[in-house]
Amino acid sequence: MEQILAEGQFMNTNGSTVISNLEYDLLTVLHNKSEALKAYDTYMKDAQETGSQPCAELFQKLQQADMEHAQEIRQHLQQVMQQGKM
């Protein structure tokens, strides 16, 4: 049985934490970035439908930046999960 200690930190019955606050934070940011990445497709479509190519290009630029950020966050998360820290 798991017990919630603080937001994102869980302790199992033997007293060890299942996920650290740092892992939770990175997972949360990664989740938020992935939600934004999906939304940009809709935003680009909306901009194109209204004939606003500059806005479509802006959304594409933002999507690309968030994709790069998500990849970096994922690398940090992998390292934290393997080593417990950076």
Side-chain angles (χ1 to χ4, degrees):
M1 180 176 227
E2 295 177 348
Q3 175 185 35
I4 298 176
L5 299 177
E7 185 177 10
Q9 189 172 48
F10 299 89
M11 182 177 287
N12 60 21
T13 54
N14 68 3
S16 64
T17 56
V18 177
I19 183 170
S20 70
N21 285 335
L22 184 54
E23 289 169 320
Y24 177 84
D25 295 344
L26 289 166
L27 282 168
T28 300
V29 173
L30 186 58
H31 173 75
N32 291 338
K33 289 288 182 189
S34 68
E35 290 293 318
L37 288 170
K38 287 191 307 188
Y40 285 126
D41 289 331
T42 300
Y43 303 158
M44 284 185 282
K45 181 182 172 199
D46 291 346
Q48 289 168 346
E49 286 176 357
T50 60
S52 182
Q53 190 58 32
C55 289
E57 290 172 5
L58 172 63
F59 290 132
Q60 185 176 19
K61 180 180 173 182
L62 294 171
Q63 185 182 45
Q64 182 61 41
D66 273 355
M67 191 174 301
E68 292 170 10
H69 294 153
Q71 290 169 347
E72 184 176 1
I73 293 163
R74 187 172 179 261
Q75 291 169 353
H76 281 257
L77 177 60
Q78 287 174 326
Q79 190 169 355
V80 169
M81 291 179 77
Q82 290 172 352
Q83 300 174 7
K85 62 180 180 175
M86 287 293 298

